[in-house]
Amino acid sequence: MKLISAIIKPFKLDEVREALSEIGVNGITITEVKGFGRQKGHTEMYRGAEYVVDFLPKIKIEIACSDEMANSIIEVIIKAANTGKIGDGKIFVTPLEQVIRIRTGEFDESAL
């Protein structure tokens, strides 16, 4: 099993969610986060004063999936979240040792 964590631009969330739904992903977790990478933030004007926005708003998507689904999910996220501009985000894939559904006590892939 894998845990896929993707950091994307907020306005791409609906597009990514719909694309994931089309390939049968039925469980995702969304978190509003802030951060920066190579983009390093940007400057904005407010009431005539320029200031630096260091941490940019992003969306973090987390999906627990079987090993077989991981590549399809990654491809869908890349396609749906891509704008071709800096700050499109990153995808992190980590091994997932165990999953337990609290309500039923099911383990691992049957709990997904």
Side-chain angles (χ1 to χ4, degrees):
M1 295 177 299
K2 303 283 187 212
L3 178 62
I4 299 172
S5 300
I7 309 295
I8 64 168
K9 291 182 174 185
F11 68 89
K12 284 295 201 170
L13 176 58
D14 286 338
E15 198 172 327
V16 171
R17 185 185 50 79
E18 289 170 14
L20 288 169
S21 181
E22 286 176 12
I23 64 165
V25 174
N26 54 14
I28 63 175
T29 300
I30 305 296
T31 311
E32 292 180 3
V33 296
K34 291 185 178 190
F36 69 90
R38 290 186 184 157
Q39 197 173 2
K40 301 277 194 269
H42 63 275
T43 59
E44 290 186 4
M45 295 290 284
Y46 180 71
R47 295 188 177 184
E50 189 174 16
Y51 66 98
V52 177
V53 178
D54 289 330
F55 296 101
L56 301 172
K58 301 286 182 178
I59 296 292
K60 181 178 184 182
I61 300 172
E62 293 177 301
I63 304 165
C65 66
S66 66
D67 290 333
E68 295 78 29
M69 281 291 294
N71 286 335
S72 298
I73 291 170
I74 292 165
E75 288 173 17
V76 163
I77 294 171
I78 290 170
K79 185 175 180 185
N82 184 25
T83 66
K85 295 186 169 73
I86 192 165
D88 274 353
K90 295 219 173 24
I91 300 173
F92 305 97
V93 182
T94 54
L96 192 56
E97 288 186 29
Q98 192 172 37
V99 176
I100 303 158
R101 185 184 312 257
I102 294 172
R103 178 177 54 85
T104 63
E106 293 171 286
F107 281 83
D108 299 331
E109 291 199 19
S110 61
L112 293 176

